[in-house]
Each structure stands twice: as C-alpha cells, then as structure tokens.
Amino acid sequence: MKPDHSVKPHPVLTDYYANEGARRARIDQLFDASARHYDRINNIMSFGSGRWYRRTALLRAGLSEGNRVLDVGAGTGVVSLLAQEIVGSTGHVVAVDPSQGMLDVARTNGVKNVRKALGEALPFPDNEFDMVTMGYALRHVSDLRVLFREYQRVLRPGGKILLLEITRPENRLGKFLLKAYMRAYVPAVTRLLAGSAEAQKLMQYYWDTIENCVPPETILDVMTDVGLVEPARHVVMKVFSEYSATKAK
Ligand SMILES: C[S@@+](CC[C@H](N)C(=O)[O-])C[C@H]1O[C@@H](n2cnc3c(N)ncnc32)[C@H](O)[C@@H]1O
C-alpha cells in the first residue's frame, strides 16, 4: 500500500457523512441547497467576512488594476465581484466552485466568468494567474497538499495566493463565545430567516469544520512543502486569518 501523504483540513465529521468517500457529495449537497440563502445570511451575520473586510484583505495582498485573478471556492461571488472592481476592465477574474447552485447565484450577482471545478483539479494552464484567492473554502477541500500544488502550478512566477479563513480562538473564553455564536445562534437565525433545514445544517457544519481544522502552522508548512515561498499569516481580531504565499520567480 502506498503511504498517504495527504493533509486533510479536518478529520471525518460523522455527524454529516459516514466516511471520507461520502464527504464530497454531502458538501456539494449542503452548498447547493443553501446557495439562494447564502448572501442574506452572510450579510446579516457577516462574522467579519463582509465586503469591507474582504476588499481590504485583497488590497493588502497587493491586488491591483489589470491583474488576472482566480477565485477558488467563489460561492456566490463575494470575493470575485470585489476583485472584478479592483482589477477593472484590463484585468480578468475567473470564479471557480464545485457547487452549480452557488455558481448560478454568482452569475446572477454579476460575476462574468464562472467555471465548475474543484480547487484540487483546476482546469487551467500553468502560469496563468497573478493571484489566486480563496475565501472561507479551505476547510472543504480533500487535501491541502494537492490544493497548494495546483495553486503553485497555475500562478505565474512571482504570483500570489490569498486565503481568508476563520481560525478558532486559542483562549477558552474566546472559543466559548465564538462557538456559542456560530454553532448555536447563527444556525438558529438561519433556520428562522431562510426556513431551510439544510442551510441551518450548513451553518452548524461551518463551525464544526473551524473547530476541527488543522492549526495555522500546518497550513503554512504545507505551503512551504509544495515550494511556495514567503508563507505568512496576518491575523485580524485574533480570529480572521489571511494566509499568503508567493510562487518563486
Ligand atoms: C463558505 S463558501 C465561501 C464563498 C465565498 N468565497 C465567500 O467568501 O463568501 C465556500 C465555498 O467553497 C466551495 N467548495 C467546497 N469544496 C470546494 C473545493 N474542493 N474546491 C473549491 N471550492 C470548494 C463551496 O461549494 C462553497 O461555495
């Protein structure tokens, strides 16, 4: 048997699917069913991941006019739309997501280029993009090593990665408060507003993946392992992590 060098973002969560093989289909089902509610929930809860914060993070990472951007795990296109504004008519943004439901909403929202695909198997040539972005989708991939190899491949030399994630607080009180908010309050309000049991389940899953996610050091180590350089983590309010790395020139 070949040794398994994969790095899963979190262990199997049996409350949602029986085993690793069943994970992909269940995640797609949850996101498809919640797609039409996603923006409303996100706007109301906006746990720091609102438009203003995401725009600031893109600018901080150096996104500028004329850039070619690949937004992976684009969902309804919140990051893609901001990137489109920043890169302007001389730039180019492609939004990638495995959920057709999410991509349909992204297109309606004004995302110009959408493509159904997984971050782990990108249908693009080598050296194609100046920046790869990923907003709150890292926890849903099957293998961080495969994902970062793909990012390394499609970036041009000198190109940059920006990953936005929520990280569980290290101190007990912070973790207790965030968990109470995200595992209980947000799913309950989601159920009330969206009237959807699947959207409620997705919000519970959201926290469970955060709680069980590999630590930030593992994410940075895997970036280095695949050959990316200058891996870094910028933290805002102890919870919002912006991971960045560069493809060597
Ligand atoms: C929480 S949404 C984030 C959407 C958007 N980026 C944002 O900032 O609001 C996570 C998205 O990741 C997508 N996703 C799940 N697994 C993925 C994978 N393996 N590769 C790329 N995207 C994935 C889901 O379909 C979903 O649309």
Side-chain angles (χ1 to χ4, degrees):
M1 215 169 75
K2 275 210 285 189
D4 181 8
H5 295 299
S6 67
V7 183
K8 312 258 180 272
H10 57 76
V12 168
L13 297 173
T14 51
D15 282 354
Y16 301 91
Y17 43 82
N19 51 50
E20 186 58 30
R23 192 165 81 97
R24 182 76 259 147
R26 182 66 183 125
I27 294 175
D28 289 346
Q29 198 180 35
L30 281 172
F31 280 111
D32 274 338
S34 309
R36 68 199 169 91
H37 309 295
Y38 184 84
D39 285 345
R40 194 149 64 110
I41 298 163
N42 200 34
N43 282 341
I44 293 166
M45 304 307 160
S46 191
F47 9 80
S49 51
R51 273 175 53 87
W52 181 86
Y53 169 70
R54 285 175 227 219
R55 188 183 164 81
T56 308
L58 289 170
L59 294 172
R60 196 172 11 243
L63 189 66
S64 56
E65 209 175 328
N67 281 173
R68 294 159 301 160
V69 181
L70 178 64
D71 182 30
V72 182
T76 59
V78 191
V79 173
S80 309
L81 288 167
L82 293 164
Q84 275 182 193
E85 276 173 35
I86 296 169
V87 305
S89 57
T90 54
H92 183 69
V93 178
V94 186
V96 159
D97 201 286
S99 158
Q100 189 59 51
M102 285 288 193
L103 290 178
D104 291 345
V105 178
R107 209 192 280 276
T108 308
N109 284 347
V111 178
K112 292 180 194 148
N113 306 294
V114 302
R115 190 85 182 255
K116 187 173 176 180
L118 292 169
E120 305 93 303
L122 294 169
F124 303 103
D126 300 356
N127 308 316
E128 184 81 350
F129 297 98
D130 299 302
M131 188 178 283
V132 177
T133 57
M134 186 177 223
Y136 312 99
L138 185 76
R139 285 165 279 115
H140 307 307
V141 305
S142 55
D143 184 348
L144 296 182
R145 202 183 298 280
V146 173
L147 181 79
F148 293 153
R149 272 201 201 113
E150 275 297 80
Y151 286 1
Q152 161 93 318
R153 183 183 67 75
V154 299
L155 276 174
R156 64 149 170 91
K160 199 161 177 184
I161 292 174
L162 172 67
L163 303 170
L164 305 180
E165 261 310 331
I166 297 184
T167 309
R168 64 177 178 268
E170 277 164 25
N171 69 78
R172 284 168 89 183
L173 179 66
K175 188 179 160 195
F176 173 81
L177 292 174
L178 191 66
K179 183 171 183 171
Y181 179 68
M182 292 190 70
R183 185 64 168 80
Y185 178 75
V186 171
V189 175
T190 297
R191 180 66 187 257
L192 208 68
L193 291 177
S196 159
E198 284 290 81
Q200 179 183 24
K201 193 93 181 155
L202 178 66
M203 287 302 131
Q204 291 166 340
Y205 183 65
Y206 204 91
W207 169 261
D208 289 349
T209 55
I210 292 169
E211 188 169 31
N212 290 286
C213 192
V214 293
E217 302 74 52
T218 304
I219 294 169
L220 295 169
D221 283 352
V222 180
M223 285 177 163
T224 308
D225 276 2
V226 304
L228 289 159
V229 296
E230 297 164 1
R233 176 179 172 235
H234 176 79
V235 187
V236 176
M237 289 166 65
K238 299 193 173 174
V239 176
F240 304 106
S241 295
E242 294 162 32
Y243 296 94
S244 58
T246 304
K247 177 167 172 173
K249 283 192 181 159

